[in-house]
Amino acid sequence: MLTDWLPTTRREMELRGWEEADVVLFSADAYVDHPSFGVAVIGRTLEAEGLRVAIVPQPDWHGDLRDFRRLGRPRLWFGIAPGCMDSMVNKYTAARRLRGEDAYSPDGRHDKRPEYPTIVYTKILSRLYPDVPVVLGGIEASLRRLAHYDYWQDRLLPSVLVPSGADTIIYGMGERPTTELARRLLRLIDECDESLSYDEQGQACIGKRAFLKALSLPEPLQQTVVLSKTYSKREDDVLLHSFEECLKDKRKQAENFRLIEEESNSLRARRIIQRTGESYVIVNPPFPPMTTEEIDRSFGYPYTRMPHPKYKGKRIPAYEMIRHSVTLHRGCFGGCAFCTISAHQGKFIASRSRESILREVRQITLMPDFRGYITDLGGPSANMYMMGGRDKGQCASCKRPSCAFPRVCPNLNADHRPLLDVYRAVDAVPGVKKSLVGSGVRYDLLPDDPAYTRELITRHVGGRLKVAPEHTSPRVLRLMRKPGYDLFLRFKRTFESVCRKAGLERQQLVPYFISSHPGCTEEDMAELAALTKQEGFRLEQVQDFTPTPMTLATETFYTGLDPYTLEPVYSARTDLEKRRQRMFFFWYKPEERQPITAELRRLGRADLTARLFAN
């Protein structure tokens, strides 16, 4: 039935008997009612609070703007959900070229979303409905909550609140702050608060005055960002260098980043303040990590797990990838320098219960196109399920960005037995032939767990197992916050041995590598090519480093400094420099042999020519 989905049109609202919505969410992705799609999660979360929630997916931002008018004014607020990926990463490659398709749009179309939908949508809504509050969420706004380097414009930009004109950002995983915001606003309406406004029918509506009151009373709403002309200083506030100071001095931007990252990785985070122009960007501390009960509730809402019927006959690439997969946990404590996951989801793992996971698996087995294979039992990193600090007191005083680098923390409980229990329970569900692990595996957590390693390789690999050594150079790996290449080689030997004993020699280990990461030189890439060739790899899963807001590697790329040591770090910046690094991945292609040979001659490393092209 059409009413199984949240309404996307006036007609669908009428089918539910609604004259208006409480919250209208504008999404830059197609509407897929699935727990892997953020706008569906927030919509279902608010629905569970008794609110009437509607979604406008991929509105046309040209012409008469009818898509922005179609559902009228909501009683509480407009929400902007710019997409499961940063819009610019979704749209462009690291070389700033248009990608082959938009994975979150019907039939992969490129014309369904603007650049920076956070800003574009907010400006339109503020012009059409100037008194209705606008709330930003999702990864695009979350990682732009403070001054940040934008690779696409090649300049430092202020908090996205400034150019968008939105009223607040809810950053990170949004269920708890969104729920609390709704409860505060409904409380104001119940109290007939004097700051309320009224619509033409005399119904109480939340205007900007009431909205700002709800954000601040009785205490500032956690996990939100606001822009204010004034603020009352607290003793434990973290005061950053102003945006204007950072524009003048990149060293100050680097110093800021270390403070931001340390607070983002703390269980006792403090409020962060950054002056921007005549105002202050105020980042309120986050809520504590979600409990198992809370994350179970989020995954237990009545999702249809399907794209909205409006997309019938159309392919949504991202949905095709995850339709038969299950997310076991959120968060990642790897702290990789180039990754946005911990910056957005946090480093503390929030795991679902076994029962919640099995309920979702049973739902999948009832799907008409299910053929018996769960394509992924994973998460940001596949094997961090139920992991965390043994002594929570130590975790409370720790600000390390990674629990696995430079070595696995001795306080970390890296027991894989709960995960093995989930694997076996899923495989026992009637209708499941096999469950696979499609997410990347952290092999630095495996050396002391042969039972998990053996079961993973023999029972949960669909022909290829993905891992991410990322590089071979010790110096570059330190800057990446990744374990040494020798640990990858150790895992490779284990993988080959287990496969050989189990008669699975055709299974492949697929390593991911990055070129042009800060600190990486052409000579490092040439060494990488020679070392991986020595191991029998012809690399396919490779990428050029893409600077994205709020990562250590991006700040290093922009400032030219390591934010933790303030020592200079080289980065490949021009297209030529990047091309010279990337070509070494493809030494086995005939067209690359001559340029690689010439470059090695220029570098004085003719010895590598023999290693790459012998035989």
Side-chain angles (χ1 to χ4, degrees), residues 454 457-458 496-505:
R454 184 170 55 255
I457 295 170
T458 58
E496 292 167 342
S497 173
V498 171
C499 287
R500 188 167 54 253
K501 291 175 182 176
L504 298 169
E505 289 91 343

Side-chain angles (χ1 to χ4, degrees), residues 49 402 436 469 548 587 611:
E49 290 294 306
S402 172
L436 306 173
T548 49
W587 57 267
R611 289 170 62 188

Side-chain angles (χ1 to χ4, degrees), residues 4 13 38 72 114 146 186 214-215 287 293 388 418 425 430 437 456 464 474 536:
D4 291 339
M13 287 173 60
L146 289 156
L186 293 174
L215 283 178
F287 279 92
E293 292 74 18
V437 175
L456 169 71
R464 311 179 97 193

